[in-house]
Amino acid sequence: QAQLVESGGGLVQPGGSLRLTCRASRMITSVFNSHSMGWYRQAPGKQRELVAEISSAGVTNYGDSVKGRFTISKDAAKKMVYLQMNSLKPEDTAVYYCKTEWNNYWGQGTQVTVSP
């Protein structure tokens, strides 16, 4: 079973930056490398939405609202996925979840709050 652990969330002012990390330490390296990974978010009262995803080949895809501001990357050797978030806006406030395509496992989420 994959265990995905997110970290890096917190409170930040509008215009600030945060870097989220997803650690997939229990995934076998070959499984991690052969499946896409993604970041999703869910704000209160809203549906969970795709933020960014990265394929096994490193191809990235972003939600429209974060294009140009967020960057997803991964370190295959460390089995970690990152989400660099710049120019944060109050509407980016949400719980951010890491997900693997492998059996669609989810992490527990990390809270990001963007507020003056």
Side-chain angles (χ1 to χ4, degrees), residues 54-74:
I54 184 165
S55 74
S56 57
V59 177
T60 58
N61 180 46
Y62 296 92
D64 288 341
S65 62
V66 307
K67 285 180 180 177
R69 299 188 298 123
F70 291 10
T71 302
I72 188 171
S73 61
K74 64 180 179 179

Side-chain angles (χ1 to χ4, degrees), residues 72-85:
I72 188 171
S73 61
K74 64 180 179 179
D75 185 327
K78 296 181 179 180
K79 293 180 287 184
M80 295 177 74
V81 184
Y82 308 99
L83 184 69
Q84 179 65 43
M85 306 186 295

Side-chain angles (χ1 to χ4, degrees), residues 84-98:
Q84 179 65 43
M85 306 186 295
N86 298 328
S87 303
L88 283 161
K89 305 175 181 179
E91 50 263 43
D92 294 318
T93 296
V95 178
Y96 284 70
Y97 298 91
C98 180

